[in-house]
């Protein structure tokens, strides 16, 4: 039996055809398919391209695909889910079952392999999402960069800029962040970076990329950088704790918390404040990282919907056969 | 003797021809002329239109204009000042002296009538600017809404949104801001307002306009709204204090601080936190509000450059003759 898992994001979308044992037989990647930002026509064209490529890579297996699970960015509401289903269904024979879900589920399952738990996603943006044993779902945050991405890469970068300019204005102590920013943009003085940021094609992404400077400043023992990491780590810890309290009545169970996204490449720096905050909130969690490629979470979800158990060999097989060709 | 004062902002530009006694003989308003946001060609066209209208309104007086002072948004650097001068100079005979300056000076002089002091501008954005007895200048803040507008209308509106969504996520106490936001946008629940804000033509201005909801919530004794006002008022107080410390060695002098911009329509609400913060910083200031129309500050600046003293009848005459026709 074959399933197709799709992980649809804002900048790229990956599809994987795999067996119930975790063997990857085809994998393809196309552009972004967030229906909120990309527009329906473009999403349709990207998904058509994805399915066409998978079909070409494994024509025989494609015909045996029984279920499609698509975890899509922007598919949090019924309207968008229906729109995406209407795009995908005509690309398959009518016997194929198609489920459209939020991409946070794909991210969660890439760590819990289908078990309940919480996923904290933090890249440019941040959102906390969870599913409990009763399949109840809840979310915290993810309201966009203007007022809802506490603890995201964007928030950390913005805090660094704010600190550097406040130090320049004599409002707070000096910080090495100022020098790091000037060097990073190869400029003479801090105000020279203003037009670069405001005139950037994607200021949100540019600001988020400044996170690396904050990490560098922490390594140089800069107090302001440490404060920024402490604050944003605490925001992530609070979001995780709030979600655990909403979904789980914690007895002796330890809740799985999956950390997904570029920010956690530097979990060494963020670990202390995140874990301290969660502990202070009286929550017991098991922090884990993705065990498989993100689209693997969609494959797992598709198999679970077919009532197939994911055994211990699944992960090993999946990671062994999921190579880029 | 006649002078021409121009107050050039992001959305509108006003020019006034006045006598040394403060008598307004012509006044005209055209569109925005911030060279950073509007573009050189459009700025040129607006300024040409402004001068043409003034000339039509008072052809005889126009010929007797000896000096032009233009306080222009976005004219903080020499490059932009030179560009604006190159636009204005050909519109006058070569004997006319033209000075291009930052519009913060115009705002300052609308309150101090040419005397040194500090101006705190706070509308959608915020900037603190000052000039001392030695004509030294300094600024604090005004680095744009993404990381530099603490204490602005934008910051207050953003804080309100952040608080409402955090309350929804169970991260902080409930606040009436949530209900006020839902009512304001005429929606069912908080997440329904997300697309309205992110898809707005001008999200910055829309978020800034939410300040009125925070003021309303303060009147209903909402703790979160009070906290937001307290925090942002303190940011303004800190910016003013930092600027006073940079520019003035305070003996027994009381420094004039002019408050300009839409946010101060509700100074009744902001007063306590702003004045407490300044006092805690050990600074003595005299808080004042504009005494004349903004472009009047440019008229004052032009007269000062001609070494004309602004006497006590000036303001009375200016305000009496500066009517909209």
């Amino acid at each position: 039996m074959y399933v197709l898992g799709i992980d649809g994001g804002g900048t790229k979308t990956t599809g994987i055809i795999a067996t119930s044992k975790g063997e990857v037989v085809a994998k393809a990647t196309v552009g972004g398919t967030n229906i909120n930002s990309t527009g329906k026509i473009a999403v349709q064209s990207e998904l058509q391209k994805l399915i066409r490529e998978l079909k070409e890579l494994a024509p025989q297996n494609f015909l045996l695909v029984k279920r499609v699970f698509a975890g899509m960015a922007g598919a949090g509401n019924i309207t968008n889910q229906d729109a995406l289903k209407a795009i995908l269904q005509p690309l398959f024979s009518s016997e194929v079952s198609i489920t459209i879900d939020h991409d946070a589920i794909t991210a969660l399952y890439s760590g819990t392999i289908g078990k309940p738990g919480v996923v904290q996603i933090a890249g440019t943006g941040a959102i906390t999402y969870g599913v409990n044993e009763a399949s109840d779902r809840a979310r915290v945050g993810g309201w966009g960069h203007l007022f809802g991405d506490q603890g995201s890469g964007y928030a950390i970068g913005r805090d660094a800029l704010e600190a550097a300019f406040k130090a320049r204005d004599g409002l707070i102590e000096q910080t090495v962040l100022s020098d790091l920013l000037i060097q990073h943009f190869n400029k003479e003085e801090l105000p020279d970076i203003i037009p670069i940021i405001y005139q950037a094609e994607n200021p949100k992404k540019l600001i988020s990329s400044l996170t690396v400077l904050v990490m560098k400043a922490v390594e140089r023992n800069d107090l302001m950088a440490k404060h920024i990491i402490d604050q944003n780590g605490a925001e992530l810890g609070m979001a995780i704790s709030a979600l655990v309290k909403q979904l789980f009545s914690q007895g002796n169970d330890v809740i799985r918390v999956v950390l997904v996204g570029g920010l956690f490449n530097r979990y060494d720096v963020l670990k202390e404040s995140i874990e301290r905050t969660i502990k202070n909130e009286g929550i017991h969690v098991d922090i884990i990282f993705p065990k498989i490629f993100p689209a693997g979470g969609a494959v797992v979800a598709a198999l679970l919907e077919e009532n197939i158990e994911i055994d211990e060999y699944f992960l090993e097989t999946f990671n062994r056969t999921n190579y880029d060709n």
Side-chain angles (χ1 to χ4, degrees), chain A:
Chain A
M1 210 264 305
Y2 293 87
V3 295
L4 165 54
I6 300 176
D7 176 45
T11 54
K12 68 169 187 164
T13 301
T14 301
I16 285 182
I17 297 175
T19 67
S20 57
K21 305 287 175 210
E23 195 187 340
V24 175
V25 298
K27 180 170 129 186
T29 296
V30 295
T33 52
N34 183 333
I35 203 162
N36 287 331
S37 51
T38 302
K40 215 166 144 181
I41 304 294
V43 169
Q44 179 169 36
S45 135
E46 290 302 322
L47 287 175
Q48 284 170 343
K49 196 172 148 204
L50 179 73
I51 303 307
R52 200 164 58 234
E53 285 189 24
L54 289 167
K55 215 171 181 170
E56 281 171 15
L57 285 167
Q60 298 302 320
N61 306 317
F62 185 86
L63 292 174
L64 298 170
V65 165
K66 206 173 161 204
R67 178 171 287 273
V68 178
F69 186 98
M72 309 293 286
N77 59 65
I78 299 287
T79 313
N80 286 351
Q81 286 172 8
D82 287 348
L84 288 161
K85 197 160 183 174
I87 291 172
L88 280 173
Q89 191 72 67
L91 307 176
F92 298 89
S93 89
S94 58
E95 297 98 66
V96 177
S97 308
I98 297 179
T99 307
I100 312 288
D101 208 325
H102 202 288
D103 64 333
I105 286 292
T106 312
L108 175 67
Y109 287 179
S110 75
T112 66
I113 314 301
K115 294 279 189 299
V118 170
V119 62
Q120 174 62 56
I121 306 179
T124 301
I127 185 171
T128 321
Y129 202 85
V131 181
N132 66 12
E133 297 284 355
S135 296
D136 301 324
R137 295 167 169 217
R139 73 179 264 186
V140 163
W143 306 112
H145 72 293
L146 292 180
F147 47 87
D149 271 353
Q150 297 85 19
S152 66
Y154 177 79
I156 292 174
R158 181 194 57 212
D159 289 352
L161 287 163
E162 190 174 311
F165 279 93
K166 279 196 162 182
R168 183 192 185 277
D169 287 344
L171 291 165
I172 59 167
E173 297 287 301
Q174 287 305 318
T175 155
V176 306
L177 287 167
S178 312
D179 289 341
L180 291 175
L181 281 163
I182 293 167
Q183 283 163 28
H184 180 77
F185 289 107
N186 200 16
K187 290 288 171 189
E188 292 289 312
E189 50 166 26
L190 211 49
D192 297 339
I193 75 174
I194 292 280
I196 304 178
I197 292 169
Y198 283 93
Q199 290 165 23
E201 183 108 36
N202 190 342
K204 194 168 83 171
K205 212 165 172 178
L206 177 63
I207 290 173
S208 177
S209 76
L210 303 176
T211 302
V212 295
L213 304 183
V214 181
M215 302 303 180
K216 209 180 271 185
V218 167
E219 281 159 7
R220 292 200 197 164
N221 264 315
D222 183 69
L223 286 181
M224 180 46 65
K226 284 181 173 180
H227 175 71
I228 292 172
I229 290 298
D230 198 66
Q231 285 283 104
N232 282 283
E235 293 276 2
L236 293 173
M238 289 301 296
I240 292 166
S241 303
L243 199 64
V244 169
K245 286 177 189 171
Q246 277 180 53
L247 280 181
F248 300 91
S249 55
Q250 199 166 24
N252 290 320
D253 293 354
V254 173
I255 314 300
R256 293 173 195 84
V257 173
V258 188
L259 303 183
V260 175
L263 192 62
F264 299 119
N265 294 342
R266 291 309 304 270
Y267 192 60
D268 58 327
V269 177
L270 284 154
K271 179 182 166 75
E272 202 276 320
S273 61
I274 293 177
E275 296 188 5
R276 171 172 33 83
T277 306
I278 294 173
K279 205 175 160 195
N280 287 346
E281 289 291 307
I283 311 283
H284 303 284
V285 301
D286 185 12
I287 302 262
I288 57 180
F289 292 89
K291 295 187 172 67
I292 50 175
F293 197 73
V299 169
V300 167
L303 290 171
L304 288 176
E305 297 211 330
E306 291 293 322
N307 291 312
I308 289 167
E309 285 230 18
I310 313 292
D311 67 21
E312 54 187 298
Y313 300 111
F314 179 90
L315 298 183
E316 190 263 312
T317 309
F318 188 86
N319 285 327
R320 179 169 46 77
T321 56
N322 172 41
Y323 49 83
D324 284 306
N325 42 4

